[in-house]
Amino acid sequence: MFSGKLAGTALLLLRATVSFTLFMQGKNYLARGFDTTVLNWLIGLVSIISGGALLIGIFTRIFSSLVFLGALLKMTALFSTFVDDFTPFDLSAAYVGLIAVSIFLMGPGEFSLDARLFGRREIIIPQNTFPPKP
């Protein structure tokens, strides 16, 4: 679950990429000024919070599944209503969703708070101090 040095570094880079994209998307939702609705504010805040959680690697599987569901909803909305206005920038939701699935499947990696909080533990089994009965 908590990959070693090179794999942990690769997972850190994947988490940072998704986090940066989520920060930018969240900022865009929040920066619309007075035209924003409650839904836009909610999407913006959830994007920024999810990006921050993925960046530091806390509850990685929960937040990566939340990011995947958000990307899936965005892609569904794009294909169902705005096919004429579809731009290559809108594909970032698909890319973020796929990377979130890979982060979910591979785990948080060595360089995460999940690894520090729930990482590998050494189990020490004490010696039996009582001799076996014949």
Side-chain angles (χ1 to χ4, degrees):
M1 182 172 172
F2 302 106
S3 306
K5 300 280 186 224
L6 285 177
T9 305
L11 284 167
L12 176 64
L13 290 174
L14 281 175
R15 288 194 337 257
T17 302
V18 171
S19 297
F20 177 73
T21 306
L22 288 172
F23 287 148
M24 291 295 112
Q25 288 178 351
K27 181 189 75 78
N28 287 338
Y29 274 104
L30 294 178
R32 292 184 182 173
F34 294 108
D35 296 336
T36 60
T37 62
V38 174
L39 183 61
N40 284 342
W41 277 93
L42 182 66
I43 291 171
L45 288 176
V46 168
S47 295
I48 290 173
I49 290 169
S50 298
L54 283 177
L55 183 62
I56 63 173
I58 187 75
F59 304 120
T60 306
R61 294 200 175 191
I62 294 169
F63 282 105
S64 62
S65 61
L66 182 67
V67 168
F68 171 71
L69 289 176
L72 188 66
L73 288 174
K74 184 174 182 182
M75 291 306 295
T76 304
L78 284 173
F79 282 126
S80 65
T81 57
F82 305 139
V83 175
D84 296 335
D85 298 332
F86 190 74
T87 64
F89 183 71
D90 293 328
L91 285 177
S92 68
Y95 297 141
V96 167
L98 289 174
I99 294 173
V101 168
S102 66
I103 291 171
F104 177 83
L105 293 174
M106 291 188 289
E110 183 180 3
F111 305 113
S112 66
L113 282 180
D114 282 343
R116 298 290 178 239
L117 295 175
F118 312 113
R120 296 183 178 112
R121 303 274 192 251
E122 182 179 353
I123 300 173
I124 300 172
I125 301 173
Q127 293 290 333
N128 190 357
T129 57
F130 301 106
K133 294 181 181 180

